Amino acid sequence: MRSSCVLLTALVALAAYYIYIPLPSSMSDPWKLMLLDATFRSAQQVSNLIHCLGLSHHLLALNFIIVSFGKKSAWSSAQVKVTDTDFDGVEVRVFEGSPKPEEPLKRGVVYIHGGGWALASAKIRYYDELCAAMAEELNAVVVSVEYRLVPKVYFPTQIHDVVRATKYFLQPEVLHEYSVDPDRIGISGDSAGGNLAAAVSQQFIQDANLKNKLKVQALIYPVLQALDFNTPSYQQNVNTPVLPRSVMVKYWVDYLRGNYDFVQAMIVNNHTSLDVEEAVALRARLNWTSLLPASITKNYKPVVQTTGNTRIVREIPQLLDARAAPLLAEQEVLRHLPKTYILTCEHDVLRDDGIMYAKRLESAGVEVTLDHFEDGFHGCVIFTSWPTNFSVGIRTRNSYIKWLDQNL
Ligand SMILES: *[C@@H]1O[C@H](CO)[C@@H](O)[C@H](O)[C@H]1NC(C)=O
Ligand SMILES: *[C@@H]1O[C@H](CO)[C@@H](O)[C@H](O)[C@H]1NC(C)=O
Ligand SMILES: *[C@@H]1O[C@H](CO)[C@@H](O)[C@H](O)[C@H]1NC(C)=O
């Protein structure tokens, strides 16, 4: 009896140690976030074990866990019709708001889910609920793209999949079939999906046939650059759930098919040290000492290495490619972009990617709304229903949908 008490106490202590992480009190529902983070971390550890045993790639294993827990088959209600189909060979899940006599033509949104270019699905509950809410509240047709993921495909195949599905949707006969107004179509995504949405928007304005086809882009805590992993938000959120800095750097390395041996060097910005000539001209485009306000930079200092590792960008030149890192695009490209919404969260390594992009777009003359949440954390927009319901999840989602309602 006594020994089982000791054992139980030890187990509880161990569980508490595993789950507890110090979080700022300004974060939304910190205890719930700790539990969510511990669950995600254990899934990651199980996947790493499966990888070490040689049974499967860790990202395949992790995605298998995520998708098997959360998959939802196509469904329909009086308000929304949901269909799984394919657009020019790319799988999509389409959400159609019910027809309204006063508004015969609907708005259209191409939605790209997040997950580090490697995880999640348009068919998991979280994204299914978000897209259904958009279709219903906006009376829109939402095309949620089931693009292929790492490690089946790498950069730039994810972009190609989204471009194919979007071009298919934009054809007059397809828009007609779905009763979509060709002048009211937007592109949107969260996290790595926000990265893909930003990349596709830049690609479309450079193509005479596609220019002006998208009315808005709405980016939710997008990933936008891989040159500086020491922006104030990266420094401030090194270990913040659900996206610690090292995890984000690994997603980049995986997407660009690089080598994990470089991760530690990239974390200290050795890949963009002053002796890396290829990066010199680009560094000014994400110079956060001039792009971010003092309220954000606080006392953080830039991390610039004099000598680093020149091999990294030689082996992974895509790090400097604006299609992978839309923040690196030239001003000349940015100035043609459509009206833009960018949502950022204080407790997120990617906060400053979003704020810097908003600033660059604004300087280029694009109309931008920067919607910042002081108690937000990375991923919160999809966490709106029990048991993973967060107050900031509901507020961010409402704010995002409201912007689309007023601007699309
Ligand atoms: C960064 O580069 C410097 C110079 O090559 C090297 O001394 C240092 O160990 C590197 N740091 C990491 C973490 O790789
Ligand atoms: C970044 O901006 C600061 C302030 O405007 C400037 O002093 C610095 O030279 C810039 N650095 C780069 C690499 O452009
Ligand atoms: C989450 O949902 C439960 C059950 O509906 C509710 O009691 C709770 O207050 C919600 N929490 C938040 C943070 O919204």
Side-chain angles (χ1 to χ4, degrees):
M1 179 64 202
R2 203 162 137 206
S3 61
S4 55
C5 268
V6 172
L7 189 67
L8 187 65
T9 312
L11 279 177
V12 169
L14 202 64
Y17 178 75
Y18 187 78
I19 293 168
Y20 181 78
I21 31 170
L23 291 178
S25 56
S26 58
M27 252 167 138
S28 173
D29 312 295
W31 278 102
K32 201 170 246 192
L33 184 56
M34 277 182 225
L35 283 172
L36 178 68
D37 182 58
T39 312
F40 191 49
R41 266 187 292 135
S42 15
Q44 282 170 316
Q45 280 152 0
V46 169
S47 312
N48 291 341
L49 182 68
I50 291 171
H51 190 108
C52 287
L53 295 174
L55 298 175
S56 172
H57 191 284
H58 69 105
L59 290 169
L60 288 178
L62 185 56
N63 206 29
F64 179 79
I65 298 174
I66 293 173
V67 172
S68 16
F69 269 104
K71 194 162 178 170
K72 199 169 161 184
S73 38
W75 54 282
S76 286
S77 69
Q79 286 78 35
V80 190
K81 180 174 155 204
V82 184
T83 324
D84 287 334
T85 178
D86 79 277
F87 280 4
D88 193 16
V90 179
E91 281 183 58
V92 293
R93 176 166 280 195
V94 184
F95 302 78
E96 296 169 72
S98 57
K100 294 217 170 32
E102 70 279 13
E103 207 178 348
L105 284 183
K106 293 175 195 153
R107 294 179 266 196
V109 180
V110 173
Y111 194 84
I112 311 159
H113 71 78
W117 306 282
L119 302 171
S121 157
K123 297 174 185 170
I124 62 172
R125 176 172 75 91
Y126 297 105
Y127 286 109
D128 184 88
E129 284 173 1
L130 172 63
C131 291
M134 287 161 70
E136 185 179 341
E137 290 172 37
L138 298 168
N139 187 31
V141 173
V142 180
V143 176
S144 188
V145 185
E146 190 76 325
Y147 57 99
R148 288 167 294 165
L149 303 170
V150 174
K152 283 204 187 99
V153 299
Y154 299 89
F155 169 85
T157 305
Q158 281 83 345
I159 301 176
H160 293 164
D161 279 0
V162 176
V163 166
R164 272 201 9 233
T166 309
K167 277 188 183 171
Y168 180 92
F169 182 53
L170 288 172
Q171 297 174 100
E173 59 277 20
V174 177
L175 294 178
H176 179 75
E177 184 191 325
Y178 284 102
S179 309
V180 170
D181 184 343
D183 296 324
R184 298 178 84 187
I185 296 167
I187 192 163
S188 183
D190 62 297
S191 192
N195 166 281
L196 295 170
V200 170
S201 298
Q202 291 188 1
Q203 183 169 330
F204 274 30
I205 53 164
Q206 297 177 76
D207 181 330
N209 294 321
L210 296 167
K211 209 172 177 167
N212 303 327
K213 295 267 186 192
L214 297 174
K215 186 177 180 194
V216 302
Q217 59 170 347
L219 315 175
I220 301 172
Y221 32 73
V223 191
L224 295 169
Q225 60 89 24
L227 289 200
D228 187 351
F229 293 115
N230 290 276
T231 59
S233 60
Y234 266 109
Q235 294 189 42
Q236 179 182 310
N237 295 292
V238 166
N239 292 313
T240 301
V242 289
L243 187 64
R245 174 167 63 180
S246 59
V247 174
M248 188 60 237
V249 177
K250 284 179 186 160
Y251 283 140
W252 268 115
V253 170
D254 279 317
Y255 181 41
L256 304 179
R257 215 172 185 167
N259 190 322
Y260 276 2
D261 293 347
F262 292 146
V263 168
Q264 289 313 315
M266 289 165 71
I267 282 176
V268 299
N269 285 350
N270 261 5
H271 60 307
T272 49
S273 53
L274 296 176
D275 58 338
V276 178
E277 285 154 28
E278 298 90 329
V280 172
L282 299 174
R283 214 176 292 112
R285 296 190 192 158
L286 45 95
N287 180 358
W288 56 260
T289 53
S290 58
L291 289 171
L292 298 177
S295 57
I296 289 284
T297 54
K298 298 193 177 115
N299 292 322
Y300 291 105
K301 297 275 171 285
V303 174
V304 183
Q305 308 288 355
T306 319
T307 57
N309 185 343
T310 53
R311 252 182 62 214
I312 302 176
V313 295
R314 303 242 159 88
E315 287 194 22
I316 322 179
Q318 305 89 330
L319 284 165
L320 310 179
D321 190 325
R323 290 174 304 161
L327 187 54
L328 298 179
E330 297 164 37
Q331 169 109 348
E332 185 47 38
V333 172
L334 299 186
R335 71 188 189 89
H336 297 290
L337 283 168
K339 198 184 236 197
T340 300
Y341 170 90
I342 301 179
L343 186 146
T344 53
C345 291
E346 179 65 18
H347 307 284
D348 180 2
V349 287
L350 299 174
R351 178 196 68 189
D352 298 343
D353 282 26
I355 300 179
M356 287 193 280
Y357 200 44
K359 179 76 190 170
R360 287 203 63 211
L361 289 174
E362 208 176 80
S363 308
V366 176
E367 209 179 312
V368 186
T369 302
L370 180 64
D371 199 8
H372 182 67
F373 287 80
E374 279 297 328
D375 62 344
F377 60 91
H378 191 77
C380 61
V381 170
I382 61 172
F383 296 121
T384 53
S385 62
W386 196 85
T388 44
N389 57 334
F390 288 80
S391 122
V392 75
I394 293 160
R395 279 180 282 117
T396 46
R397 172 176 302 186
N398 289 345
S399 188
Y400 159 71
I401 294 180
K402 185 172 165 203
W403 185 89
L404 284 174
D405 193 31
Q406 291 169 345
N407 293 280
L408 180 58

